[in-house]
Amino acid sequence: HRVRFFGLVPAGVRCLACHPRGARLALARTDGAVEVYNFAANYFQEKVIPGHEARSVESLCWATGDRLFGAGLGGDITEYDLSRLSAARGVDGGGGPIWSMAANGTGTQLAIGCEDGSVKIFQVVPGGIQFERNLDRRKGRVLCLSWHPSDSHIVAGSIDFFRVIDVTSGQTVQRIMVNHQVEKAKRECVVWAIALLSRGTVVSADSFGRVQFWDWEQGTLAESHTVSTSAALSLAVSEKEDSIFVGTSTGATYQLQLLPVKLGGTEKRWVRTKPFQYHSHDVRAVAHSPTALISGGLDAQLVIRPLMEKVQKKGYDAVLRKFTFPHRRLVSCARKARLLLFQFSQHLELWRLGSTEETGKDGEVLPLCQMPEHLVQLKSKGPEHIYCSCVSPCGTWVGYSTASRFQLYRVHCDGDGVSLRKV
């Protein structure tokens, strides 16, 4: 049977976080689901934490002890239990919706950027996180954050400007406007992503499609690269700070590399080297692992492109990977009863397959005398998303599970239709 009536709309990729000291990648989707991929054995999907209607994830980060934290527009910072695959505990950020979060180099402190313009520091302690202090608050939501590798400063990007904050004193030491060179300055310039490099350079990606390099101590613009006609949404810097990966709202991604101006010379400049078009929608999240460029788009695709100069030999490590389909089984079949059960995030659909009276060779398309029939739609109660589901081989039982409960139903099919009874 060729089944074309499963109307699944996959959830897009909202944010990515590479483990700084391990070979793992955390990914959050727009429906609140969190997935963990392992770089060993061909990037397999190791864990899935199902989504939740009340939990949006705007940013993820790894902290010390392989702990994973997420924050979103609900205003909570959530720690995920990676052994029980659930949200372990949540702490209110205290500044309204959280737009951004970043961990320091050692993974012992988390900085969050809030709707009210505040940047708050939380300490990672055994069993949770603890509020430490507020840094200087300014008007305008904080859309992106980055720590200096020495943990001495934090750079925070907002609309039309970004600022550099001294972590020790908590005061803003530099505030730089990013839209003063634009003729159409009536349009607001959104700083979507930002990075603070060890040599004191601030890299910003904005809604005018520019990647800009700033000397924050002088407050001056050093270089500007217009990579796209639309917005540059995401930014990732390699560990050695010689390569930058940028995602845009056209679905294209770009790599900038720090290369010598003359062969063998010491002077280096940033050069845009490689554009890639692997996505059809916004690339909201990018990551830079030691051997690959990783991007996630609202088209729900995760694309891992190996850096050929880092791969020593041909093989699996040198292959471009595209994860387009869910790794879990969302369809189950009752063979005897000719039924199919389809799993969506908050409901299930039970269908009866069509039938034909014709016969033909293998591979031929036969005309149907009875069309596929949608028998029943079963809605899940509560905000939790369905994690797994199944229909029994005889077609008389349907079960599904969320993170906290399991439901079993008896299915009775007769001439009048289908009836469901909760067991």
Side-chain angles (χ1 to χ4, degrees), residues 154-201:
I154 290 175
V155 62
S158 299
I159 295 168
D160 289 337
F161 71 92
F162 69 83
R163 57 200 174 100
V164 182
I165 305 167
D166 186 307
V167 176
T168 312
S169 66
Q171 296 302 309
T172 298
V173 293
Q174 185 67 271
R175 184 175 182 273
I176 297 175
M177 302 296 291
V178 292
N179 66 346
H180 61 89
Q181 293 112 341
V182 182
E183 292 158 15
K184 305 170 189 166
K186 292 173 186 172
R187 235 172 81 208
E188 61 182 21
C189 178
V190 183
V191 181
W192 282 117
I194 205 154
L196 181 52
L197 306 185
S198 56
R199 53 185 172 272
T201 306

Side-chain angles (χ1 to χ4, degrees), residues 66-259:
D66 292 353
R67 293 164 66 181
L68 181 63
F69 290 89
L73 301 183
D76 287 352
I77 306 168
T78 306
E79 182 173 359
Y80 296 102
D81 188 328
L82 295 179
S83 55
R84 298 178 62 178
L85 300 184
S86 63
R89 56 188 77 82
V91 173
D92 186 8
I98 299 170
W99 287 93
S100 52
M101 178 172 64
N104 66 351
T106 54
T108 54
Q109 289 178 310
L110 302 180
I112 61 166
C114 305
E115 174 77 25
D116 64 357
S118 62
V119 176
K120 300 172 190 290
I121 304 277
F122 284 80
Q123 192 80 25
V124 178
V125 294
I129 55 170
Q130 207 170 321
F131 174 72
E132 192 174 315
R133 63 205 178 97
N134 279 313
L135 302 182
D136 187 22
R137 179 177 159 191
R138 296 288 172 97
K139 197 176 175 185
R141 63 173 66 135
V142 181
L143 292 168
C144 49
L145 286 172
S146 176
W147 288 77
H148 191 270
S150 67
D151 299 345
S152 59
H153 292 81
I154 290 175
V155 62
S158 299
I159 295 168
D160 289 337
F161 71 92
F162 69 83
R163 57 200 174 100
V164 182
I165 305 167
D166 186 307
V167 176
T168 312
S169 66
Q171 296 302 309
T172 298
V173 293
Q174 185 67 271
R175 184 175 182 273
I176 297 175
M177 302 296 291
V178 292
N179 66 346
H180 61 89
Q181 293 112 341
V182 182
E183 292 158 15
K184 305 170 189 166
K186 292 173 186 172
R187 235 172 81 208
E188 61 182 21
C189 178
V190 183
V191 181
W192 282 117
I194 205 154
L196 181 52
L197 306 185
S198 56
R199 53 185 172 272
T201 306
V202 175
V203 189
S204 66
D206 60 40
S207 56
F208 292 141
R210 302 173 305 185
V211 176
Q212 296 185 311
F213 297 83
W214 304 83
D215 182 330
W216 71 265
E217 288 179 342
Q218 307 291 329
T220 54
L221 179 66
E223 286 184 57
S224 181
H225 298 259
T226 303
V227 295
S228 175
T229 52
S230 59
L233 297 173
S234 47
L235 196 69
V237 183
S238 68
E239 198 178 350
K240 291 182 178 174
E241 297 185 354
D242 58 356
S243 168
I244 290 176
F245 192 41
V246 184
T248 65
S249 60
T250 57
T253 54
Y254 299 88
Q255 187 185 7
L256 288 95
Q257 287 178 282
L258 192 60
L259 299 173

Side-chain angles (χ1 to χ4, degrees), residues 305-332:
R305 187 185 186 287
L307 292 163
M308 299 312 286
E309 61 268 24
K310 306 281 186 190
V311 179
Q312 301 301 324
K313 57 183 189 294
K314 288 185 178 178
Y316 272 127
D317 291 340
V319 177
L320 173 79
R321 295 168 188 78
K322 274 189 175 186
F323 297 109
T324 50
F325 296 104
H327 284 211
R328 293 178 295 142
R329 190 181 67 172
L330 302 178
V331 181
S332 63

Side-chain angles (χ1 to χ4, degrees), residues 267-316:
E267 190 193 345
K268 292 185 174 182
R269 293 203 62 165
W270 287 97
V271 180
R272 196 181 90 186
T273 52
K274 299 172 188 142
F276 311 112
Q277 183 82 44
Y278 295 128
H279 298 274
S280 58
H281 291 63
D282 295 12
V283 181
R284 297 297 298 270
V286 292
H288 204 310
S289 82
T291 58
L293 303 175
I294 305 166
S295 58
L298 290 186
D299 56 3
Q301 289 195 130
L302 173 67
V303 176
I304 298 170
R305 187 185 186 287
L307 292 163
M308 299 312 286
E309 61 268 24
K310 306 281 186 190
V311 179
Q312 301 301 324
K313 57 183 189 294
K314 288 185 178 178
Y316 272 127

